[in-house]
Amino acid sequence: TGVSGMSTMYVDNLREKTLYNGVHIPGHVVQVKKWDIAPVTINTSGSWAAATVPTIANTYAVEEYNFTKIYSNSKVMSWAMGNADPFSSASGHPTIVCLFETGGTYMGGAYRHVRVANDEPLAFNFAGEDPTAGINKTYKLRCHSSNDGIRFGRSANNNSAHTYNVILMEIAQ
């Protein structure tokens, strides 16, 4: 015979027996880190097209971030957001900002066909996921543009109000 009705459990205090070893609930947030990209100008050369598949080899380094996971089998979700300023003496240039895990896992990117360049910061926002196992991770923010380059955290007037950030969130599996 089955049990009819519902039961209610009340808990005043739930504590792990040892740090990071007790309460491990799949789908729950383990930790969150905010990565602030330092103001930098990245000079780019060569062309980029909307159909180009981004890789570590065909993009330019912006910055790297070391992230230590609590659980090897967890995944890391990412949200990259902010403004970047593609610059050139002309307009109409394809531009991408993207994120990779150091082993080459593509976590996402934002593409724009820049119509106006120089002192015109544009939003390059995207989300992604790193499902690969391991504790010590390095994430690489990369970019490319058919423009002369891209400014992060600044514009042609060196206005540091145009910030760029990446949120990394470890999710238990």
Side-chain angles (χ1 to χ4, degrees):
T1 67
V3 176
S4 62
M6 299 282 290
S7 297
T8 302
M9 179 172 82
Y10 296 94
V11 177
D12 291 326
N13 190 2
L14 180 62
R15 294 178 30 182
E16 297 180 86
K17 185 174 180 180
T18 59
L19 188 62
Y20 303 125
N21 197 29
V23 181
H24 182 108
I25 303 168
H28 282 72
V29 175
V30 176
Q31 66 173 316
V32 177
K33 300 289 182 181
K34 181 181 178 221
W35 170 17
D36 297 315
I37 305 304
V40 63
T41 297
I42 306 298
N43 293 311
T44 61
S45 65
S47 63
W48 190 267
T52 305
V53 176
T55 66
I56 291 175
N58 70 4
T59 54
Y60 291 85
V62 176
E63 195 172 290
E64 294 186 2
Y65 185 83
N66 294 318
F67 183 83
T68 304
K69 291 170 41 180
I70 305 300
Y71 303 108
S72 177
N73 69 335
S74 63
K75 67 180 173 181
V76 176
M77 304 293 295
S78 64
W79 288 270
M81 65 206 90
N83 296 306
D85 183 19
F87 63 91
S88 175
S89 57
S91 61
H93 297 285
T95 301
I96 190 167
V97 175
C98 50
L99 185 65
F100 291 90
E101 188 271 333
T102 196
T105 300
Y106 176 68
M107 295 176 64
Y111 168 86
R112 297 197 62 144
H113 194 89
V114 178
R115 302 283 183 205
V116 177
N118 280 337
D119 203 25
E120 188 72 25
L122 301 169
F124 285 85
N125 305 323
F126 60 94
E129 174 181 316
D130 173 15
T132 62
I135 296 290
N136 297 313
K137 305 297 246 172
T138 300
Y139 295 105
K140 300 172 179 260
L141 188 67
R142 313 272 306 172
C143 68
H144 199 299
S145 179
S146 293
N147 278 328
D148 296 331
I150 307 171
R151 296 179 188 96
F152 290 83
R154 63 179 74 192
S155 65
N157 295 325
N158 202 21
N159 180 350
S160 61
H162 306 292
T163 62
Y164 202 89
N165 312 100
V166 180
I167 303 296
L168 298 168
M169 183 180 292
E170 182 179 0
I171 308 295
Q173 298 301 294

